[in-house]
Amino acid sequence: AKLGTLERRFAPGGTVAEANHPYSDDDDSLNEAEVNGNWTPQEKALHEARLKAKAKRRLRKSSSRNSTSESFSESGEVAGGDPHSPKGKVNTNDRKSRTGKGRGLPKKGGAGGKGVWGAAGMVYEDEEPDIHDPNYDESYQGDTVYETVVPEIDEKELEKMVNPIVQEYFEHGDTKEVQMLLKELNLGQHKYEFSSLAVSLSLEGKASHRELTSRLLSDLSGKMLSQSEMGRAFDKMLKELPDLILDTPDAPQMLGQFIARAIADHVLPMSFLDCYKGKVDCEHARVALDRAAVLLSMKREMVRLDNVWGVGGGLRPVKHLIKEMNLLLKEYLISGDVSEAEHCLRDLEVPHFHHELVYEAVVMVLESKGDTATSMMMKLLQSFWKTGLITVDQMNRGFQRVYDELPEISLDVPHAHSIMETFVDLCYQESVITKQLRDACPSRGRKRFVSEGDGGMIKT
């Protein structure tokens, strides 16, 4: 049978293609006659042998392809590339096996690789952080407590920090706010110097500033500053008196008053003065200590020296301020010294109450006899107006008060309206008051009838 087949293939009527491809697919395809059972037993056996050989060739081709991919992976290139992709590129996002083997499922059941949650039902346990881990951060381990650390203020910076606090305190007078601001600062060992700086600034200020400073020291004592720290501050000031006198000649007397007030307020111990007996060489320090001793000896039973600085500003009673201003005007009418009157008015420290001075001055003009008081008061108000000591609001308010009470004043001074009109015109000519204020001055018209029998006709 084999020889017969070969004879047919290489017969003169056969083609060259059939000789070159003895096992082509054309030979495998059978005609209908052969399929219908016209095969001989030899041809049937030969056909089965062909099928087995063809299956072996296909198996060898697949095994050679697998070996080629393994050789690529060993040489450093990516294995398992898609043979049908252009240029053999590999789909890196494919999570299936790239060797062509396996069932095509994800590796490790989905629990492998980065960015995955792990296998279903997997529970992670708490892991102790590794101190050698590059991402290890000590601040994130355990309960971290953050504390604000304020650096201690240097002695050079202390004065720059304390001066604004004390100057603002002189304006508002609130000791609690000063305590709150001091708590935010880390004064450290220089805490006692706050007291000495506050006293030094008050020596250059007014009497009301010194009163506020004494109150501040009293409120800070026992809360933020101890008696020993207060004593250290005053001891430093006694040593600095020669320098303080250059700016404040009365510094020894004022410091003595501060010491006496501090001892009376229990800011300093009772034995503070005894520590300096016979041990002071500085003349100015002795003057301050003697002043304190005299004030304390005058106040028996240690009564608080509340009035050692006088009562400042708006803390004074209204009646007392009115009395002081009346005395000021009377002294001015006697002496005629405008500068002294201005100095006394500034010492009262009541700029909001200057309208009372204007009122009292105008009333004195209405009650006076002659033109002397009128010209002197005119000169005084003009001086206060030019220096800005009395503002427009205070001037208008003082005159308006006289306008409102003029009917009552005229009961005691019958010619009050005419005197008032004359004085107002004079003040307007000297630019002390405004035109609007002059026009607001009340005038009492005089109605004169011709006679009783004229039927009420008014004489023109």
Side-chain angles (χ1 to χ4, degrees):
K2 294 181 180 180
L3 292 174
T5 305
L6 293 173
E7 289 175 358
R8 288 198 301 270
R9 289 190 175 185
F10 293 98
T15 61
V16 180
E18 291 178 349
N20 295 334
H21 302 281
Y23 300 104
S24 64
D25 293 338
D26 295 338
D27 295 336
D28 296 337
S29 61
L30 303 175
N31 54 29
E32 296 180 0
E34 293 174 344
V35 172
N36 292 332
N38 295 328
W39 275 4
T40 61
Q42 293 82 1
E43 291 177 350
K44 189 175 181 179
L46 180 61
H47 179 67
E48 292 177 356
R50 289 177 183 173
L51 293 179
K52 292 180 181 180
K54 191 174 184 180
K56 289 181 180 181
R57 287 197 304 270
R58 290 179 179 174
L59 182 60
R60 283 196 299 269
K61 288 181 180 180
S62 63
S63 62
S64 63
R65 188 184 301 114
N66 292 339
S67 62
T68 305
S69 63
E70 291 177 359
S71 63
F72 277 127
S73 63
E74 291 176 359
S75 62
E77 298 182 4
V78 179
D82 188 3
H84 301 289
S85 62
K87 298 183 181 180
K89 291 186 178 179
V90 179
N91 188 4
T92 57
N93 295 327
D94 189 6
R95 300 191 62 79
K96 296 181 180 180
S97 175
R98 299 174 185 173
T99 61
K101 300 177 181 180
R103 296 174 296 169
L105 299 176
K107 296 179 180 179
K108 300 182 182 179
K114 296 181 179 179
V116 295
W117 289 97
M122 185 175 181
V123 180
Y124 291 96
E125 297 180 357
D126 294 335
E127 296 182 1
E128 293 293 333
D130 186 7
I131 195 172
H132 300 292
D133 189 350
N135 296 325
Y136 178 81
D137 190 354
E138 185 178 359
S139 61
Y140 286 97
Q141 310 303 325
D143 297 333
T144 305
V145 179
Y146 295 93
E147 295 182 357
T148 303
V149 179
V150 181
E152 183 176 345
I153 296 178
D154 190 8
E155 186 176 1
K156 297 180 180 179
E157 299 178 357
L158 179 64
E159 186 174 357
K160 296 180 181 179
M161 301 291 289
V162 169
N163 278 354
I165 297 176
V166 177
Q167 294 294 345
E168 291 179 3
Y169 169 69
F170 289 158
E171 298 295 332
H172 56 71
D174 189 359
T175 58
K176 292 183 179 180
E177 183 174 351
V178 177
Q179 294 179 20
M180 180 182 66
L181 294 174
L182 291 180
K183 288 180 180 178
E184 297 177 358
L185 302 178
N186 186 7
L187 299 180
Q189 300 178 355
H190 306 288
K191 186 186 298 184
Y192 73 96
E193 295 187 13
F194 172 80
S195 302
S196 60
L197 287 174
V199 173
S200 300
L201 291 174
S202 65
L203 294 179
E204 301 174 359
K206 306 175 183 178
S208 59
H209 295 170
R210 292 187 282 275
E211 174 66 23
L212 289 172
T213 304
S214 295
R215 294 184 182 182
L216 178 62
L217 297 181
S218 178
D219 291 344
L220 294 179
S221 177
K223 298 178 181 178
M224 298 191 65
L225 297 172
S226 61
Q227 284 189 348
S228 60
E229 291 174 337
M230 289 289 187
R232 189 177 177 186
F234 278 99
D235 181 69
K236 178 182 177 182
M237 295 203 65
L238 287 172
K239 296 177 180 178
E240 294 178 353
L241 271 177
D243 296 332
L244 294 175
I245 289 177
L246 300 177
D247 297 328
T248 309
D250 296 333
Q253 291 79 7
M254 293 182 182
L255 185 58
Q257 293 177 357
F258 265 114
I259 294 174
R261 175 70 178 270
I263 294 176
D265 291 344
H266 305 287
V267 175
L268 293 175
M270 296 291 296
S271 59
F272 181 79
L273 295 178
D274 298 336
C275 298
Y276 292 93
K277 288 184 177 180
K279 301 179 181 179
V280 180
D281 297 331
C282 180
E283 180 181 357
H284 305 296
R286 285 199 299 268
V287 172
L289 295 173
D290 292 342
R291 175 67 173 169
V294 169
L295 291 174
L296 290 173
S297 63
M298 292 172 58
K299 298 292 182 179
R300 296 183 180 180
E301 299 179 2
M302 293 305 297
V303 179
R304 289 171 61 90
L305 299 175
D306 291 337
N307 296 327
V308 68
W309 304 115
V311 182
L315 300 176
R316 302 184 182 187
V318 176
K319 292 183 178 179
H320 178 75
L321 293 174
I322 294 174
K323 183 179 179 181
E324 290 289 335
M325 289 185 177
N326 267 319
L327 183 61
L328 183 153
L329 293 173
K330 290 179 181 179
E331 290 180 353
Y332 167 70
L333 290 176
I334 296 174
S335 63
D337 191 352
V338 177
S339 60
E340 180 64 22
E342 181 179 350
H343 178 72
C344 294
L345 183 60
R346 290 184 185 275
D347 286 344
L348 291 177
E349 299 181 17
V350 283
H352 60 281
F353 202 62
H354 286 173
H355 62 86
E356 179 66 27
L357 180 74
V358 178
Y359 171 81
E360 295 292 341
V362 176
V363 171
M364 284 187 180
V365 171
L366 297 178
E367 295 177 352
S368 64
K369 298 179 181 180
D371 298 334
T372 305
T374 302
S375 60
M376 292 185 68
M377 289 299 179
M378 173 62 215
K379 182 180 178 182
L380 181 66
L381 293 178
Q382 185 180 17
S383 175
F384 289 167
W385 171 261
K386 289 182 178 180
T387 57
L389 185 58
I390 296 180
T391 61
V392 179
D393 179 64
Q394 296 294 317
M395 188 72 73
N396 293 344
R397 191 174 177 184
F399 273 90
Q400 192 63 46
R401 286 179 58 191
V402 179
Y403 293 167
D404 297 339
E405 298 180 8
L406 198 57
E408 299 178 2
I409 296 175
S410 62
L411 297 178
D412 299 329
V413 183
H415 302 288
H417 282 83
S418 59
I419 299 174
M420 188 67 189
E421 291 177 359
T422 304
F423 185 70
V424 167
D425 290 337
L426 182 60
C427 290
Y428 175 71
Q429 293 175 4
E430 298 295 335
S431 301
V432 176
I433 62 175
T434 61
K435 184 177 182 299
Q436 184 179 2
L437 185 60
R438 185 200 66 173
D439 297 340
C441 179
S443 60
R444 184 174 62 179
R446 298 169 59 190
K447 297 180 180 179
R448 302 185 64 182
F449 297 93
V450 176
S451 63
E452 294 179 357
D454 292 338
M457 293 181 62
I458 301 176
K459 183 177 179 181
T460 59

